[in-house]
Amino acid sequence: MFYLACPACRKKVSDDGVGYRCEHCNKVYDNAVPTYNFSYKISDCSGTLLLQCLAESGDMILGMSCKAFYDDLH
């Protein structure tokens, strides 16, 4: 539903125990940015659409920032 992103380039980061490592930037950051990435279906009598939700569009759809969602989980 979300991933932890690099604050500079927004690519996925990995937690290496010291910080969050971005392979794209080749840097380690103290913080990562929780970022939405999920799919959802919308259906009516005419058919179904499968849509992808990325980044800030998830804030509008779910009515909650990804950071707030992530903080509620932890």
Side-chain angles (χ1 to χ4, degrees), residues 14-48:
S14 56
D15 186 353
D16 66 0
V18 177
Y20 297 95
R21 173 169 288 289
C22 177
E23 296 295 329
H24 186 261
C25 294
N26 198 27
K27 293 182 181 177
V28 176
Y29 295 94
D30 292 334
N31 298 313
V33 180
T35 304
Y36 285 123
N37 183 4
F38 61 90
S39 299
Y40 60 101
K41 280 185 184 180
I42 296 180
S43 299
D44 68 7
C45 61
S46 65
T48 301

Side-chain angles (χ1 to χ4, degrees), residues 1-4 34-42 49-67 69-70 73:
M1 178 150 200
F2 64 88
Y3 66 97
L4 295 177
T35 304
Y36 285 123
N37 183 4
F38 61 90
S39 299
Y40 60 101
K41 280 185 184 180
I42 296 180
L49 290 174
L50 182 61
L51 303 172
Q52 183 73 26
C53 181
L54 301 170
E56 290 84 15
S57 60
D59 296 354
M60 293 185 302
I61 292 168
L62 297 178
M64 173 185 259
S65 74
C66 193
K67 173 141 178 44
F69 181 80
Y70 179 79
L73 294 175

